Amino acid sequence: MLRQASQLLRLETRGKGLYEFTREASRWVAETGMAEGLLTLFCRHSSASLLIQENAAPAVKRDLARFFEDLVPEQAGYEHDDEGPDDMPAHIRTALTGVSLQIPLIGGALMLGTWQGLYLFEHRRAPHRREVALHLIGA
Amino acid sequence: MLRQASQLLRLETRGKGLYEFTREASRWVAETGMAEGLLTLFCRHSSASLLIQENAAPAVKRDLARFFEDLVPEQAGYEHDDEGPDDMPAHIRTALTGVSLQIPLIGGALMLGTWQGLYLFEHRRAPHRREVALHLIGA
Amino acid sequence: MLRQASQLLRLETRGKGLYEFTREASRWVAETGMAEGLLTLFCRHSSASLLIQENAAPAVKRDLARFFEDLVPEQAGYEHDDEGPDDMPAHIRTALTGVSLQIPLIGGALMLGTWQGLYLFEHRRAPHRREVALHLIGA
């Protein structure tokens, strides 16, 4: 019989960067007792996003961060700058990387590949409390 | 007992830009009578995409539009230009922003954050009739 | 009564480019016998991604590939280059395009639009064996 479970995960960020939460998400999935299903992660913000990326080499995280700094610079004459120069770039970086992710759960394991980790991508300079909604449907 | 519902949403666009449809999607979810589940939105086009973005400041929409105009310019020597100079940039912008989105429904509410709205991102100059498939599974 | 099915799809790539697998995914969906539901595709790698794009004009694929070569060049002074100059660009291109996609199944048909095809986007130069997890929940 199929069923569903949901949870709000709270993550504290300390400024721009990638924060891994693979362990927290996996632990919650295990607690539901389901072995087959679909896990959804949803970031409830417009200035932080979700990313599945390589979790082995720390240099990958630095190169990713640098790429997005260059692609969406803080100084670009944005019309919207109510909350400072990192505000509008944060919205654009969120648009480019997305706030919704799904991972199948098969045979008791999330289908993340060997090198894939789950990350919250904080795009603001200041520390923030971020909420990621978790939803699992399956059996 | 879990069940599912689906619907085709038709949106008329008047050229390039972000068209919010949070209200239409929320109304349909309410009509299904479900309180817990997973909402999927799927844009059936390769030159328009879906975006969850800040819904308070109109300047955000203008800055987002300008960023994508600069990142993917119309004049860039594309090989594919059967339908005009805005054709290939539309495909690329769709690839960068995506056509599929999921939002958990928990306790009777879509998990959109306070500042998050649902947008269709039209990438063509001419008005178009766009279709977004809605699917909800839950209880 | 709702149920679910899952499958690992293996795709062989021959270097950088877009590899269509609409037919393989559709065939598997048909084999499950379901007519209404939600199909999830998940790419288990951090240097290959999933894309829904125009499947009619081959020039679109070439323009897309060229755009990403220009946007994320191989020579950009990346710190992470353990596996060669195409390694870090592959991670960035994967971050920009994503590894997770969902398509509603309604009335026996995947809701892909007339011009939409499913693609694996290989970002490495060398041939690779890639795994895409398929998950379908519905009836």
Side-chain angles (χ1 to χ4, degrees):
Chain A
M1 183 75 93
L2 298 185
R3 59 192 173 92
Q4 56 184 338
S6 57
Q7 175 81 3
L8 269 190
L9 184 66
R10 287 182 176 83
L11 299 167
E12 311 259 339
T13 66
R14 305 170 303 279
K16 288 185 181 187
L18 288 155
Y19 297 85
E20 186 165 10
F21 65 102
T22 317
R23 199 170 300 179
E24 290 86 341
S26 301
R27 191 186 301 136
W28 178 75
V29 168
E31 286 169 6
T32 67
M34 297 192 211
E36 312 280 332
L38 179 64
L39 173 66
T40 296
L41 310 163
F42 183 81
C43 180
R44 307 186 67 203
H45 307 278
S46 59
S47 55
S49 54
L50 298 178
L51 209 56
I52 290 181
Q53 258 300 324
E54 138 101 46
N55 61 359
V60 170
K61 296 207 285 182
R62 291 191 290 267
D63 280 332
L64 268 170
R66 190 164 67 87
F67 174 83
F68 281 98
E69 286 294 323
D70 291 346
L71 185 69
V72 194
E74 289 204 355
Q75 307 302 333
Y78 302 109
E79 180 184 352
H80 176 79
D81 61 356
D82 304 358
E83 296 185 36
D86 59 329
D87 188 10
M88 193 58 221
H91 292 311
I92 296 175
R93 292 169 199 184
T94 300
L96 287 169
T97 45
V99 294
S100 166
L101 276 180
Q102 279 69 33
I103 309 159
L105 174 71
I106 304 181
L110 286 174
M111 283 295 97
L112 288 168
T114 314
W115 309 107
Q116 287 180 316
L118 297 174
Y119 293 91
L120 178 79
F121 200 170
E122 174 62 70
H123 300 299
R124 299 303 306 271
R125 290 182 181 182
H128 277 77
R129 295 192 173 187
R130 301 302 196 175
E131 287 186 349
V132 177
L134 307 181
H135 178 271
L136 179 60
I137 187 164
Chain B
M1 183 75 90
L2 298 185
R3 58 189 173 94
Q4 55 184 339
S6 58
Q7 174 82 2
L8 269 190
L9 184 66
R10 286 180 176 84
L11 298 167
E12 311 260 337
T13 66
R14 303 169 303 280
K16 289 185 181 186
L18 287 156
Y19 297 84
E20 186 165 10
F21 65 102
T22 316
R23 199 169 301 178
E24 289 87 340
S26 301
R27 190 184 303 135
W28 178 75
V29 168
E31 286 170 5
T32 67
M34 297 193 211
E36 311 281 331
L38 178 64
L39 173 67
T40 296
L41 310 163
F42 183 81
C43 179
R44 307 186 69 203
H45 307 277
S46 59
S47 56
S49 53
L50 298 178
L51 209 56
I52 290 181
Q53 258 300 325
E54 139 103 45
N55 61 359
V60 170
K61 295 206 287 182
R62 291 190 291 265
D63 281 331
L64 267 171
R66 190 164 66 86
F67 174 83
F68 281 98
E69 286 294 323
D70 291 347
L71 185 68
V72 195
E74 289 203 355
Q75 306 302 332
Y78 302 110
E79 181 184 351
H80 176 78
D81 62 356
D82 304 358
E83 296 186 36
D86 60 329
D87 188 11
M88 193 58 221
H91 292 311
I92 296 174
R93 292 170 199 184
T94 299
L96 286 168
T97 45
V99 294
S100 166
L101 276 180
Q102 279 70 34
I103 308 159
L105 173 71
I106 304 180
L110 285 174
M111 283 295 97
L112 288 169
T114 313
W115 310 107
Q116 287 179 315
L118 298 174
Y119 292 91
L120 179 79
F121 202 170
E122 173 63 70
H123 301 299
R124 300 303 306 272
R125 290 182 183 183
H128 277 77
R129 296 192 173 186
R130 301 301 196 176
E131 286 186 348
V132 177
L134 307 180
H135 179 271
L136 179 60
I137 186 163
Chain C
M1 183 76 91
L2 297 184
R3 59 190 172 94
Q4 55 184 340
S6 58
Q7 175 82 2
L8 270 189
L9 184 66
R10 287 181 177 84
L11 299 167
E12 310 261 338
T13 66
R14 303 169 303 280
K16 288 184 180 187
L18 288 156
Y19 297 84
E20 187 166 9
F21 65 100
T22 316
R23 199 170 300 178
E24 289 86 340
S26 300
R27 191 185 302 136
W28 178 75
V29 168
E31 285 170 6
T32 67
M34 297 193 212
E36 311 281 332
L38 179 64
L39 174 66
T40 296
L41 310 163
F42 183 82
C43 179
R44 307 186 67 202
H45 307 276
S46 58
S47 55
S49 54
L50 298 178
L51 209 57
I52 290 181
Q53 259 300 326
E54 140 101 46
N55 61 0
V60 170
K61 295 206 286 182
R62 290 191 291 266
D63 280 331
L64 267 171
R66 189 164 66 88
F67 174 83
F68 281 98
E69 286 294 323
D70 291 347
L71 185 69
V72 195
E74 289 204 356
Q75 306 301 333
Y78 302 110
E79 181 184 350
H80 176 79
D81 62 356
D82 304 358
E83 296 185 36
D86 60 328
D87 188 11
M88 194 57 221
H91 292 311
I92 296 175
R93 292 170 198 183
T94 299
L96 287 169
T97 45
V99 295
S100 166
L101 277 180
Q102 278 69 34
I103 309 158
L105 174 71
I106 304 180
L110 285 174
M111 283 294 97
L112 288 169
T114 314
W115 309 107
Q116 287 180 315
L118 298 174
Y119 292 91
L120 179 80
F121 201 170
E122 173 62 71
H123 301 299
R124 300 302 306 272
R125 289 183 182 181
H128 278 76
R129 296 191 173 188
R130 301 302 195 176
E131 286 186 349
V132 177
L134 307 180
H135 178 271
L136 179 61
I137 187 164

Short mmCIF file of all heavy atoms in Angstrom, two decimals, chain C residues 47-87:
data_model
loop_
_atom_site.label_atom_id
_atom_site.label_comp_id
_atom_site.label_asym_id
_atom_site.label_seq_id
_atom_site.Cartn_x
_atom_site.Cartn_y
_atom_site.Cartn_z
N SER C 47 28.64 14.69 -14.17
CA SER C 47 29.26 15.25 -15.38
C SER C 47 28.45 14.91 -16.63
O SER C 47 28.96 14.90 -17.74
CB SER C 47 30.70 14.76 -15.51
OG SER C 47 30.76 13.36 -15.50
N ALA C 48 27.18 14.60 -16.42
CA ALA C 48 26.21 14.40 -17.51
C ALA C 48 24.87 14.82 -16.95
O ALA C 48 24.62 14.68 -15.75
CB ALA C 48 26.17 12.94 -17.97
N SER C 49 23.99 15.36 -17.79
CA SER C 49 22.72 15.88 -17.28
C SER C 49 21.56 15.47 -18.18
O SER C 49 21.74 14.77 -19.17
CB SER C 49 22.80 17.40 -17.14
OG SER C 49 23.22 18.00 -18.35
N LEU C 50 20.35 15.90 -17.80
CA LEU C 50 19.15 15.58 -18.57
C LEU C 50 18.55 16.86 -19.13
O LEU C 50 18.57 17.91 -18.48
CB LEU C 50 18.11 14.89 -17.68
CG LEU C 50 18.52 13.55 -17.07
CD1 LEU C 50 17.41 13.02 -16.17
CD2 LEU C 50 18.85 12.53 -18.17
N LEU C 51 18.02 16.76 -20.33
CA LEU C 51 17.47 17.93 -20.98
C LEU C 51 16.24 17.53 -21.78
O LEU C 51 16.24 16.48 -22.43
CB LEU C 51 18.53 18.50 -21.93
CG LEU C 51 18.55 19.98 -22.23
CD1 LEU C 51 18.67 20.81 -20.96
CD2 LEU C 51 19.72 20.30 -23.16
N ILE C 52 15.21 18.35 -21.73
CA ILE C 52 14.09 18.19 -22.65
C ILE C 52 14.24 19.29 -23.68
O ILE C 52 14.31 20.47 -23.33
CB ILE C 52 12.74 18.30 -21.90
CG1 ILE C 52 12.56 17.07 -21.02
CG2 ILE C 52 11.60 18.44 -22.90
CD1 ILE C 52 11.26 17.05 -20.24
N GLN C 53 14.35 18.92 -24.94
CA GLN C 53 14.57 19.93 -25.96
C GLN C 53 13.91 19.58 -27.28
O GLN C 53 13.42 18.47 -27.46
CB GLN C 53 16.08 20.15 -26.19
CG GLN C 53 16.59 21.41 -25.49
CD GLN C 53 15.90 22.69 -25.98
OE1 GLN C 53 15.53 22.83 -27.13
NE2 GLN C 53 15.71 23.64 -25.07
N GLU C 54 13.91 20.52 -28.15
CA GLU C 54 13.39 20.39 -29.51
C GLU C 54 14.05 19.20 -30.21
O GLU C 54 15.28 19.07 -30.21
CB GLU C 54 13.69 21.72 -30.21
CG GLU C 54 14.14 21.68 -31.63
CD GLU C 54 13.03 22.01 -32.61
OE1 GLU C 54 12.30 22.97 -32.40
OE2 GLU C 54 12.93 21.26 -33.61
N ASN C 55 13.23 18.31 -30.77
CA ASN C 55 13.76 17.08 -31.35
C ASN C 55 13.66 17.02 -32.87
O ASN C 55 13.86 15.97 -33.46
CB ASN C 55 13.05 15.87 -30.74
CG ASN C 55 11.55 15.90 -31.04
OD1 ASN C 55 11.07 16.83 -31.69
ND2 ASN C 55 10.84 14.92 -30.57
N ALA C 56 13.37 18.16 -33.49
CA ALA C 56 13.15 18.13 -34.94
C ALA C 56 14.40 18.56 -35.71
O ALA C 56 14.84 17.86 -36.62
CB ALA C 56 11.96 19.02 -35.30
N ALA C 57 14.97 19.70 -35.36
CA ALA C 57 16.07 20.26 -36.14
C ALA C 57 17.42 19.91 -35.52
O ALA C 57 17.71 20.31 -34.40
CB ALA C 57 15.92 21.78 -36.24
N PRO C 58 18.27 19.16 -36.24
CA PRO C 58 19.59 18.80 -35.71
C PRO C 58 20.45 20.02 -35.39
O PRO C 58 21.31 19.95 -34.52
CB PRO C 58 20.22 17.99 -36.86
CG PRO C 58 19.07 17.53 -37.68
CD PRO C 58 18.02 18.59 -37.57
N ALA C 59 20.20 21.15 -36.08
CA ALA C 59 21.01 22.35 -35.83
C ALA C 59 20.80 22.86 -34.40
O ALA C 59 21.70 23.49 -33.83
CB ALA C 59 20.65 23.44 -36.84
N VAL C 60 19.63 22.61 -33.82
CA VAL C 60 19.37 23.04 -32.43
C VAL C 60 20.37 22.38 -31.49
O VAL C 60 20.94 23.02 -30.61
CB VAL C 60 17.92 22.71 -32.01
CG1 VAL C 60 17.74 22.93 -30.52
CG2 VAL C 60 16.94 23.57 -32.80
N LYS C 61 20.61 21.08 -31.71
CA LYS C 61 21.56 20.36 -30.85
C LYS C 61 22.96 20.94 -30.98
O LYS C 61 23.68 21.10 -30.00
CB LYS C 61 21.59 18.87 -31.20
CG LYS C 61 20.27 18.14 -30.93
CD LYS C 61 20.48 16.67 -30.67
CE LYS C 61 20.80 15.90 -31.92
NZ LYS C 61 20.97 14.45 -31.64
N ARG C 62 23.36 21.28 -32.21
CA ARG C 62 24.70 21.84 -32.41
C ARG C 62 24.82 23.22 -31.79
O ARG C 62 25.83 23.55 -31.17
CB ARG C 62 25.01 21.88 -33.92
CG ARG C 62 25.21 20.49 -34.52
CD ARG C 62 25.78 20.54 -35.94
NE ARG C 62 24.82 21.09 -36.91
CZ ARG C 62 23.99 20.35 -37.66
NH1 ARG C 62 23.98 19.03 -37.54
NH2 ARG C 62 23.18 20.92 -38.52
N ASP C 63 23.78 24.06 -31.93
CA ASP C 63 23.82 25.40 -31.33
C ASP C 63 23.84 25.31 -29.80
O ASP C 63 24.53 26.08 -29.14
CB ASP C 63 22.61 26.23 -31.78
CG ASP C 63 22.77 26.83 -33.17
OD1 ASP C 63 23.93 27.09 -33.57
OD2 ASP C 63 21.76 27.04 -33.86
N LEU C 64 23.06 24.39 -29.25
CA LEU C 64 23.06 24.19 -27.79
C LEU C 64 24.46 23.80 -27.31
O LEU C 64 24.98 24.36 -26.34
CB LEU C 64 22.07 23.10 -27.40
CG LEU C 64 20.66 23.52 -27.04
CD1 LEU C 64 19.76 22.30 -26.90
CD2 LEU C 64 20.64 24.32 -25.73
N ALA C 65 25.05 22.84 -27.99
CA ALA C 65 26.39 22.37 -27.60
C ALA C 65 27.39 23.52 -27.68
O ALA C 65 28.21 23.70 -26.77
CB ALA C 65 26.81 21.21 -28.50
N ARG C 66 27.31 24.30 -28.74
CA ARG C 66 28.26 25.41 -28.90
C ARG C 66 28.06 26.47 -27.83
O ARG C 66 29.03 27.02 -27.28
CB ARG C 66 28.10 26.03 -30.30
CG ARG C 66 29.19 27.03 -30.64
CD ARG C 66 29.23 27.34 -32.12
NE ARG C 66 28.04 28.03 -32.57
CZ ARG C 66 27.89 29.37 -32.55
NH1 ARG C 66 28.86 30.13 -32.08
NH2 ARG C 66 26.79 29.93 -33.00
N PHE C 67 26.79 26.76 -27.49
CA PHE C 67 26.52 27.75 -26.44
C PHE C 67 27.19 27.34 -25.13
O PHE C 67 27.84 28.15 -24.47
CB PHE C 67 25.01 27.92 -26.23
CG PHE C 67 24.69 28.81 -25.07
CD1 PHE C 67 24.69 30.19 -25.22
CD2 PHE C 67 24.42 28.28 -23.81
CE1 PHE C 67 24.42 31.03 -24.14
CE2 PHE C 67 24.15 29.11 -22.73
CZ PHE C 67 24.15 30.48 -22.89
N PHE C 68 27.04 26.08 -24.75
CA PHE C 68 27.61 25.65 -23.47
C PHE C 68 29.13 25.57 -23.53
O PHE C 68 29.80 25.78 -22.52
CB PHE C 68 26.99 24.31 -23.02
CG PHE C 68 25.64 24.50 -22.40
CD1 PHE C 68 24.48 24.30 -23.14
CD2 PHE C 68 25.51 24.92 -21.08
CE1 PHE C 68 23.22 24.50 -22.57
CE2 PHE C 68 24.27 25.11 -20.51
CZ PHE C 68 23.12 24.91 -21.25
N GLU C 69 29.71 25.30 -24.71
CA GLU C 69 31.17 25.35 -24.85
C GLU C 69 31.68 26.77 -24.60
O GLU C 69 32.70 26.97 -23.96
CB GLU C 69 31.61 24.91 -26.27
CG GLU C 69 31.52 23.42 -26.53
CD GLU C 69 32.49 22.61 -25.68
OE1 GLU C 69 33.62 23.05 -25.43
OE2 GLU C 69 32.08 21.51 -25.24
N ASP C 70 30.93 27.77 -25.12
CA ASP C 70 31.34 29.17 -24.96
C ASP C 70 31.10 29.66 -23.53
O ASP C 70 31.91 30.39 -22.96
CB ASP C 70 30.57 30.07 -25.93
CG ASP C 70 30.98 29.81 -27.37
OD1 ASP C 70 32.02 29.14 -27.58
OD2 ASP C 70 30.27 30.27 -28.29
N LEU C 71 29.94 29.27 -22.96
CA LEU C 71 29.59 29.76 -21.63
C LEU C 71 30.50 29.18 -20.56
O LEU C 71 30.87 29.87 -19.59
CB LEU C 71 28.12 29.40 -21.31
CG LEU C 71 27.58 29.96 -20.00
CD1 LEU C 71 27.43 31.48 -20.09
CD2 LEU C 71 26.23 29.32 -19.65
N VAL C 72 30.85 27.92 -20.72
CA VAL C 72 31.68 27.22 -19.73
C VAL C 72 32.89 26.64 -20.46
O VAL C 72 32.95 25.44 -20.75
CB VAL C 72 30.89 26.09 -19.03
CG1 VAL C 72 31.64 25.62 -17.78
CG2 VAL C 72 29.48 26.52 -18.69
N PRO C 73 33.86 27.47 -20.78
CA PRO C 73 35.00 27.01 -21.60
C PRO C 73 35.89 26.03 -20.84
O PRO C 73 35.93 26.02 -19.61
CB PRO C 73 35.75 28.30 -21.92
CG PRO C 73 35.35 29.26 -20.86
CD PRO C 73 33.97 28.89 -20.42
N GLU C 74 36.62 25.22 -21.60
CA GLU C 74 37.52 24.25 -20.96
C GLU C 74 38.73 24.94 -20.32
O GLU C 74 39.21 24.49 -19.29
CB GLU C 74 37.98 23.21 -21.99
CG GLU C 74 36.86 22.26 -22.39
CD GLU C 74 37.39 20.94 -22.92
OE1 GLU C 74 38.63 20.79 -23.06
OE2 GLU C 74 36.57 20.05 -23.20
N GLN C 75 39.19 26.01 -20.98
CA GLN C 75 40.36 26.70 -20.44
C GLN C 75 39.91 27.91 -19.64
O GLN C 75 39.66 28.97 -20.20
CB GLN C 75 41.29 27.14 -21.58
CG GLN C 75 41.69 26.02 -22.53
CD GLN C 75 42.40 24.86 -21.85
OE1 GLN C 75 43.04 25.03 -20.81
NE2 GLN C 75 42.28 23.67 -22.42
N ALA C 76 39.79 27.77 -18.33
CA ALA C 76 39.35 28.91 -17.52
C ALA C 76 40.03 28.92 -16.16
O ALA C 76 39.53 29.49 -15.21
CB ALA C 76 37.83 28.90 -17.36
N GLY C 77 41.16 28.26 -16.07
CA GLY C 77 41.93 28.29 -14.83
C GLY C 77 41.24 27.62 -13.66
O GLY C 77 41.35 28.09 -12.53
N TYR C 78 40.52 26.52 -13.92
CA TYR C 78 39.84 25.82 -12.83
C TYR C 78 40.87 25.23 -11.86
O TYR C 78 41.92 24.73 -12.27
CB TYR C 78 38.96 24.70 -13.37
CG TYR C 78 37.92 25.19 -14.34
CD1 TYR C 78 38.01 24.90 -15.70
CD2 TYR C 78 36.85 25.97 -13.91
CE1 TYR C 78 37.07 25.36 -16.60
CE2 TYR C 78 35.90 26.44 -14.81
CZ TYR C 78 36.02 26.12 -16.15
OH TYR C 78 35.08 26.59 -17.04
N GLU C 79 40.53 25.26 -10.58
CA GLU C 79 41.38 24.64 -9.57
C GLU C 79 41.30 23.12 -9.68
O GLU C 79 42.28 22.41 -9.55
CB GLU C 79 40.90 25.11 -8.19
CG GLU C 79 41.70 24.58 -7.03
CD GLU C 79 41.10 25.00 -5.67
OE1 GLU C 79 40.18 25.86 -5.65
OE2 GLU C 79 41.56 24.46 -4.66
N HIS C 80 40.08 22.62 -9.94
CA HIS C 80 39.84 21.18 -10.03
C HIS C 80 40.08 20.71 -11.46
O HIS C 80 39.28 20.99 -12.35
CB HIS C 80 38.40 20.88 -9.60
CG HIS C 80 38.01 19.43 -9.74
ND1 HIS C 80 38.38 18.47 -8.84
CD2 HIS C 80 37.29 18.79 -10.68
CE1 HIS C 80 37.89 17.29 -9.21
NE2 HIS C 80 37.22 17.45 -10.33
N ASP C 81 41.18 20.00 -11.71
CA ASP C 81 41.38 19.46 -13.06
C ASP C 81 42.02 18.08 -13.01
O ASP C 81 42.77 17.69 -13.90
CB ASP C 81 42.19 20.42 -13.93
CG ASP C 81 43.59 20.66 -13.36
OD1 ASP C 81 43.89 20.13 -12.26
OD2 ASP C 81 44.38 21.35 -14.01
N ASP C 82 41.68 17.32 -11.95
CA ASP C 82 42.24 15.98 -11.75
C ASP C 82 42.06 15.09 -12.98
O ASP C 82 42.93 14.31 -13.32
CB ASP C 82 41.55 15.27 -10.57
CG ASP C 82 41.64 16.07 -9.29
OD1 ASP C 82 42.28 17.15 -9.31
OD2 ASP C 82 41.08 15.63 -8.27
N GLU C 83 40.91 15.22 -13.62
CA GLU C 83 40.60 14.31 -14.72
C GLU C 83 40.69 14.98 -16.08
O GLU C 83 40.10 14.50 -17.05
CB GLU C 83 39.20 13.73 -14.53
CG GLU C 83 39.05 12.86 -13.30
CD GLU C 83 37.67 12.22 -13.23
OE1 GLU C 83 37.13 11.86 -14.29
OE2 GLU C 83 37.12 12.09 -12.13
N GLY C 84 41.39 16.11 -16.16
CA GLY C 84 41.55 16.76 -17.45
C GLY C 84 40.74 18.04 -17.58
O GLY C 84 39.92 18.35 -16.72
N PRO C 85 40.95 18.79 -18.67
CA PRO C 85 40.35 20.11 -18.85
C PRO C 85 38.83 20.07 -19.05
O PRO C 85 38.18 21.11 -18.91
CB PRO C 85 41.05 20.66 -20.09
CG PRO C 85 41.54 19.46 -20.82
CD PRO C 85 41.87 18.43 -19.78
N ASP C 86 38.27 18.91 -19.38
CA ASP C 86 36.82 18.84 -19.59
C ASP C 86 36.10 18.42 -18.31
O ASP C 86 34.87 18.29 -18.31
CB ASP C 86 36.47 17.86 -20.72
CG ASP C 86 36.97 16.45 -20.43
OD1 ASP C 86 38.02 16.31 -19.76
OD2 ASP C 86 36.32 15.48 -20.86
N ASP C 87 36.84 18.21 -17.22
CA ASP C 87 36.25 17.69 -15.98
C ASP C 87 35.40 18.75 -15.27
O ASP C 87 34.18 18.58 -15.09
CB ASP C 87 37.38 17.21 -15.06
CG ASP C 87 36.86 16.47 -13.83
OD1 ASP C 87 35.66 16.15 -13.80
OD2 ASP C 87 37.67 16.21 -12.91
#
